[in-house]
Amino acid sequence: MTKDEAKEAYGLVSLFCAIYKQKYKKAPVVNKYREKWAMKDVIDSVGYDRAKTLLEYYFKLNKPDHTLTWFFYNFDKIDVTLVELEKD
């Protein structure tokens, strides 16, 4: 992972933490070093800008809790849903 790729991945993990803290009034427990690798895979799949958009949209979904793990396993489904919404 290059320095720029790591910076983007850490940035999105930090964005997740900030949105989570704003929504739930508490900081999530996140291993940023480990999660940067999964976030890099998301960025590699959809690009940085789209990954950021998907992460922000994720917190608009009506879910009882928002975990980073769930996002990593389902970002592709969120992307399909968002594409459909953008068509409307």
Side-chain angles (χ1 to χ4, degrees):
M1 180 183 304
T2 68
K3 192 173 183 176
D4 288 339
E5 290 171 332
K7 185 177 178 181
E8 285 182 344
Y10 273 127
L12 289 180
V13 172
S14 295
L15 176 63
F16 171 87
C17 292
I19 297 171
Y20 187 97
K21 188 172 183 177
Q22 182 180 12
K23 184 171 183 74
Y24 294 105
K25 309 298 184 229
K26 64 178 182 176
V29 177
V30 173
N31 179 336
K32 288 184 179 181
Y33 178 78
R34 185 185 74 202
E35 303 301 357
K36 79 173 179 181
W37 294 101
M39 191 61 80
K40 182 182 179 317
D41 288 340
V42 174
I43 294 168
D44 288 347
S45 297
V46 296
Y48 175 80
D49 292 333
R50 187 62 175 178
K52 182 178 177 192
T53 299
L54 294 176
L55 189 57
E56 291 167 341
Y57 179 71
Y58 173 50
F59 280 94
K60 295 177 183 173
L61 298 176
N62 189 15
K63 290 180 49 49
D65 189 24
H66 293 85
T67 65
L68 202 45
T69 302
W70 193 94
F71 176 76
F72 291 145
Y73 284 110
N74 295 284
F75 77 90
D76 54 335
K77 295 173 187 134
I78 296 170
D79 191 29
V80 170
T81 301
L82 194 53
V83 166
E84 290 300 317
L85 287 174
E86 290 168 345
K87 285 181 184 178
D88 291 343

